[in-house]
Amino acid sequence: MPDFVGAVDQGTTSTRFMIFDHGGNEIARHQLEHEQILPRAGWVEHNPTEIWERTRAVIQTTLNKANLVASDLAALGITNQRETSVVWNRTTGRPYYNAIVWQDTRTDRIASALERDGRGDVIRAKAGLPPATYFSAGKIQWILENVEGVREAAEAGEAIFGTTDTWLLWNLTGGPDGGLHVTDVTNASRTMLMDLEKLDWDDELLSFFGIPRRMLPAIVPSSHAEAYGRTRESGPLGGQVTLGGVLGDQQAATVGQVCFEVGEAKNTYGTGNFLLLNTGTTPVRSKNGLLTTVCYQFGAEAPVYALEGSIAVTGSAVQWLRDQLGIISGAEQSESLARQVEDNGGVFFVPAFSGLFAPYWRSDARGAIVGLSRYNNNAHIARATLESICYQSRDVVEAMRQDSGVTLDVLRVDGGVTANDLCMQIQADILGVPVSKPVVAETTALGAAYAAGLAVGFWKSTDELKQNWQEDRRWQPAWSQEQRDGGYATWKKAVTRTLDWVDVG
Ligand SMILES: Nc1ncnc2c1ncn2[C@@H]1O[C@H](COP(=O)(O)OP(=O)(O)OP(=O)(O)O)[C@@H](O)[C@H]1O
Ligand SMILES: [Mg+2]
């Protein structure tokens, strides 16, 4: 068996390819950004063709860097930004429209109509999700209704849908020449069209959005040696690398963090934050604004579910300081700037740029910086931004404790923002529990590699994977309980100031 496994991580801002060895160590990586297309306020699109080209390029460059060839890879995994929706023609391979990204809020009226029409409870019960612009179904409906010819083509089986895992897999396995049209259970669970327990598309949910079943991919387990086929001669890997696994990025990070036991959780700090708690083989229904989602399904085993707290804006708020306010020139400067002050100076920043996701689910919210006085400066804004990442995470941790009864004794973290030492210290302070980061912080790609490697026997069991996890750093809470409670109460007050701001009819 070859010595390495590869993983494509098709993210919101970039696509990377990584190669890992049997110990889960990184051998090489390459990463390329793609354009964020923002045609109007609230709209976010990607060009699927650009994403496919970037994917080919990062695979090739990574292999070159590592001095490896395709046959050195025992298997290939894919992980991806979830919910982002592509509709393309199966004969030409051409997209009908740009990918509509998970952050896009153009479907806010579609989402609020669902609740008004009394469909919210059916969706929550079957899909485990609250009606929101976040999920794929409304995005597909929008394309069917607004792009000429797509509805007829979809009914004729010519126009097909996929999240970006499916788009890449279809292209990697031959595209118009026999490409496989499949997705894994974790990605399917984010469309709002899958029945969480049957793991199949649900006709009633499809009818809410007017989506023909024919345009949807087959749903298969996250790790499976036959389900995903092999790469084609024409692709960047030449022929015959086994595609062993697919996982949505946040589920992949949960696997990469080896959260295989009930009650184990991880929090990923990237563009947004996503905290997932493994709840075992029965889906737990949230009463506190969390999502119920499929965490992974390996081979013929029963699916494992998770409770998820999704936060739309965390690392992207740091990007906003850089790109829109111009008060820092790189993300890492958010730390040095925030360190110029002892505390937030009374300033709280609620970055509700796309409304608020978990646990609030308020599409009528918009961002606010509150508590300002003449005394405050850029450093307070930077500090409030880092705190907002941590307070939003606390909101989700509180909801999780109420839903599951699980009290975290340590929070496992990963993702780009965890490079920020101050932010991780603040997280420990705000939560009152230690924060722990693993040596391999690229847990998203690692999790996809694990799913693929398990499928082909490169790794024999999840126990073997657990041995690969090693702690790099740990932050201990330092605030007094009084400081913690006071700060959190003010945060909650700040959140109320953002609500009921825009009219979503
Ligand atoms: N030192 C830092 N301090 C604060 N934020 C940081 C720091 N370094 C990176 N970031 C933030 O981390 C985010 C990138 O993290 P990461 O690469 O994990 O993103 P990602 O979510 O995986 O990206 P994608 O959405 O493309 O998958 C950016 O939003 C960036 O602003
Ligand atoms: Mg990512």
Side-chain angles (χ1 to χ4, degrees), residues 407-473:
T407 312
L408 293 180
D409 46 15
V410 57
L411 181 69
R412 289 189 196 180
V413 302
D414 53 75
V417 184
T418 63
N420 192 311
D421 178 51
L422 176 63
C423 188
M424 293 301 102
Q425 182 57 51
I426 293 173
Q427 184 68 83
D429 291 338
I430 284 176
L431 276 181
V433 302
V435 167
S436 161
K437 178 182 171 175
V439 173
V440 180
E442 289 293 338
T443 52
T444 303
L446 182 61
Y450 281 167
L454 281 171
V456 298
F458 183 81
W459 287 291
K460 301 281 178 280
S461 68
T462 53
D463 286 337
E464 202 177 5
L465 302 179
K466 282 190 210 166
Q467 289 164 15
N468 287 347
W469 194 94
Q470 282 177 312
E471 182 170 272
D472 175 38
R473 274 212 65 177

Side-chain angles (χ1 to χ4, degrees), residues 9 11-12 16 249-250 444:
D9 176 2
T12 309
R16 52 198 115 171
D249 55 5
Q250 300 308 323
T444 303

